[in-house]
Amino acid sequence: MTSHRKILIVAYSGKGHINPALRFANCLLQTGVQVTFCTSLSVIQLIDNETIPPGLTFAPFSDGHDRGKQPNTPLQQFVSDFETNGARSAAEVISSAAHTGQPFDCLVYTTVIPWAARVAHAHGIKSALLWCQSASILDSYYYYFNEYQSLISCNNNHPTFLIDLPGLPELSIADFPSFLLASCPKEHEFLVQVMHDHIKVLKLDTSIPRILVNTVDELEFDSIRAVKELEFLPIGPLIRSDGRNSSEYSPGMDFFEKTEDDYIQWLNTQPKSSVVYVSFGTIASFRMEQLEEMAIGLREIRRPFLWVIRDSNQAERVRKIAGLGKHGMIVGWCSQVEVLSHEAIGCVVMHCGWNSTVEVLVAGVRTVAFAQWSDQPMNAKMIEDVWKIGVRVRTREEDGMLEGKEIKRCVEMVMEDEQMKMNAEKWREVTREALDNGGSSTINLQTFLHYL
């Protein structure tokens, strides 16, 4: 029986952290664990009540940005404000539970907030990291802070320089997390210390497996076992599914207001495996010049496409280039899991954020990878060279522009490659089976609860 167990989840306010944390909370609730979810008030206000797992308790706090992060707020300031208020709130929730005689057994915290482990340690409870990126990425940070920093730094200006790290595919400098590279914007440099703190706080408590990761054992078999100091428990895929075994997947949330565009009805009219789905997540933004090149490429492909462009002004200008009425549909929002699982989708052009990468693997969709920053270059590397379900685009060397003819080349390549199709179907089965009874992720979740 696990019903007496109580877990506090503290989640950073980014969508890429909130979604997997909510889905993990639902997994715990289904085993009888009592779960309290602590994050900023701005996030709680955006959650659709219909998506909240039954029995979940919220502990919101004001981080000084109750309307969300404003464009003029430096990221470092936003993260600092979240830490100051979040640490105080988490401590109060832990103390209050202890005073009522129902203390928490564990605090689970997401990427970007390693301070939460110190809060747990100060109050004498266990902690575990819910790592919202790949195991391979955390390995790369570990290697950087242990022995390999000088090798990586010395070759920072040589993007094609190759480095062999135990358990990882051969990586070029350009494949490493963007925060570790010379090209990292100054406003993101503080995140190097944040990642270093993630490694250091894991030593505070060694009584339980410390790293719950949104992946599947078979996807990153060598990476998961590469560093003995990093004890991974793969519990993924933490996504919502509209396909087979949908009851096995957890509900999530959408940050943006749903549009009235009837994209599913449109997809229903398209031939099987014919549509190119284009989406770059909730953070990436592009200059109009880049969007115009993409539009030209999609027009030249002459295949139906569904393209998510959040900025309505940009979307309107792109419609005129891409020939909306002839070739495709542009929307401001869509349910990505629902779209990816539709039989009309033939491939996806995307940024390779980890949540999207996991969704693509579960859906079994071939991929054109246009990585932007953070962990995305390594995810794109895995897509092309490890899982072999897609290709990475080649951008113009002088300015990083993705030309229309390159999109055309890559889309036609993946749409016509039968081996990639077979590989995508294989990983679809592997990732879904991980959550079956007796599946690797199901067993790992039970192992984590056992240690509590």
Side-chain angles (χ1 to χ4, degrees):
M1 294 291 291
T2 59
S3 59
H4 65 284
R5 293 171 184 162
K6 288 185 64 179
I7 291 180
L8 173 64
I9 297 178
V10 183
Y12 180 64
S13 58
K15 183 181 180 183
H17 309 253
I18 295 296
N19 273 339
L22 277 173
R23 290 159 189 162
F24 177 62
N26 191 57
C27 291
L28 293 174
L29 289 165
Q30 291 178 357
T31 69
V33 174
Q34 299 177 51
V35 183
T36 299
F37 198 92
C38 183
T39 191
S40 63
L41 180 63
S42 61
V43 169
I44 304 299
Q45 292 171 335
L46 291 172
I47 298 178
D48 184 346
N49 288 334
E50 294 181 1
T51 70
I52 297 174
L56 183 61
T57 300
F58 285 106
F61 61 87
S62 174
D63 59 1
H65 304 274
D66 291 350
R67 295 185 179 181
K69 182 181 181 298
Q70 300 303 305
N72 60 346
T73 304
L75 181 60
Q76 184 171 6
Q77 182 62 51
F78 185 77
V79 172
S80 177
D81 291 341
F82 189 93
E83 175 179 351
T84 300
N85 295 281
R88 184 186 307 117
S89 179
E92 291 172 352
V93 171
I94 292 170
S95 297
S96 176
H99 288 154
T100 62
Q102 295 181 313
F104 288 101
D105 297 289
C106 184
L107 184 156
V108 176
Y109 60 99
T110 64
T111 313
V112 182
I113 54 173
W115 49 262
R118 295 192 174 91
V119 172
H121 185 68
H123 288 80
I125 66 172
K126 299 172 182 178
S127 65
L129 167 61
L130 178 59
W131 182 248
C132 300
Q133 297 178 346
S134 70
S136 302
I137 280 291
L138 191 54
D139 283 346
S140 71
Y141 282 124
Y142 181 89
Y143 287 129
Y144 180 81
F145 298 121
N146 293 272
E147 299 183 32
Y148 288 89
Q149 182 170 354
S150 59
L151 178 62
I152 295 170
S153 299
C154 288
N155 293 283
N156 229 317
N157 293 313
H158 304 284
T160 60
F161 182 83
L162 298 176
I163 297 179
D164 279 316
L165 298 175
L168 298 181
E170 187 176 58
L171 300 172
S172 70
I173 289 295
D175 296 326
F176 279 85
S178 63
F179 309 134
L180 304 181
L181 305 183
S183 58
C184 176
K186 199 165 187 64
E187 61 266 27
H188 293 162
E189 289 178 353
F190 78 98
L191 289 168
V192 177
Q193 184 59 51
V194 171
M195 296 308 167
H196 197 188
D197 287 345
H198 267 303
I199 302 297
K200 290 190 291 186
V201 298
L202 291 173
K203 300 176 182 178
L204 291 176
D205 181 4
T206 58
S207 64
I208 60 172
R210 301 297 313 286
I211 309 169
L212 303 160
V213 59
N214 182 19
T215 190
V216 173
D217 189 51
E218 294 83 352
L219 276 177
E220 299 186 88
F221 188 88
D222 292 332
S223 303
I224 287 165
R225 294 159 178 79
V227 182
K228 65 179 181 179
E229 289 81 6
L230 301 179
E231 191 172 358
F232 289 107
L233 276 179
I235 57 168
L238 295 172
I239 72 166
R240 181 174 65 86
S241 174
D242 295 306
R244 195 194 73 177
N245 294 338
S246 61
S247 63
E248 306 251 4
Y249 297 86
S250 308
M253 59 176 291
D254 292 301
F255 268 51
F256 301 100
E257 183 180 353
K258 299 181 182 181
T259 66
E260 297 301 321
D261 297 305
D262 198 348
Y263 51 89
I264 293 299
Q265 189 171 29
W266 179 81
L267 285 173
N268 290 340
T269 67
Q270 304 304 316
K272 184 177 180 180
S273 301
S274 66
V275 176
V276 181
Y277 172 55
V278 185
S279 179
F280 297 100
T282 58
I283 296 178
S285 60
F286 296 103
R287 295 171 312 184
M288 197 60 219
E289 182 184 7
Q290 176 63 89
L291 292 176
E292 289 172 352
E293 277 292 329
M294 293 180 190
I296 291 170
L298 290 172
R299 186 182 63 198
E300 292 300 314
I301 294 168
R302 297 192 178 279
R303 296 178 185 267
F305 65 86
L306 175 64
W307 189 357
V308 180
I309 303 179
R310 299 189 310 277
D311 186 299
S312 58
N313 291 327
Q314 288 185 331
E316 189 55 38
R317 292 177 64 182
V318 166
R319 281 190 179 94
K320 296 177 182 178
I321 301 170
L324 176 65
K326 295 180 180 179
H327 300 295
M329 187 174 195
I330 297 175
V331 297
W333 177 93
C334 72
S335 171
Q336 180 157 289
V337 170
E338 188 177 18
V339 168
L340 289 172
S341 65
H342 198 285
E343 67 175 6
I345 299 299
C347 78
V348 58
V349 181
M350 71 165 187
H351 60 306
C352 301
W354 184 244
N355 287 329
S356 291
T357 299
V358 171
E359 290 169 358
V360 163
L361 286 161
V362 173
V365 177
R366 289 164 285 180
T367 304
V368 174
F370 183 23
Q372 302 298 303
W373 72 313
S374 186
D375 61 324
Q376 296 168 15
M378 189 179 294
N379 298 339
K381 163 77 175 178
M382 304 284 279
I383 283 170
E384 183 175 55
D385 294 337
V386 178
W387 304 315
K388 300 183 185 299
I389 63 167
V391 296
R392 291 180 285 182
V393 300
R394 298 192 296 248
T395 56
R396 224 159 45 196
E397 191 169 330
E398 60 269 23
D399 60 2
M401 178 72 71
L402 172 58
E403 296 181 316
K405 62 183 179 181
E406 175 65 1
I407 283 192
K408 182 175 185 291
R409 181 188 74 85
C410 291
V411 168
E412 290 179 344
M413 179 187 299
V414 300
M415 291 284 268
E416 296 170 6
D417 194 308
E418 286 300 312
Q419 186 59 54
M420 285 185 193
K421 181 179 180 181
M422 292 172 61
N423 293 339
E425 291 171 350
K426 178 189 76 172
W427 291 119
R428 179 183 62 199
E429 295 308 307
V430 167
T431 53
R432 294 184 176 193
E433 288 171 1
L435 293 181
D436 290 341
N437 289 333
S440 58
S441 293
T442 300
I443 292 172
N444 287 334
L445 180 60
Q446 293 168 350
T447 298
F448 171 67
L449 295 176
H450 170 76
Y451 276 100
L452 293 185

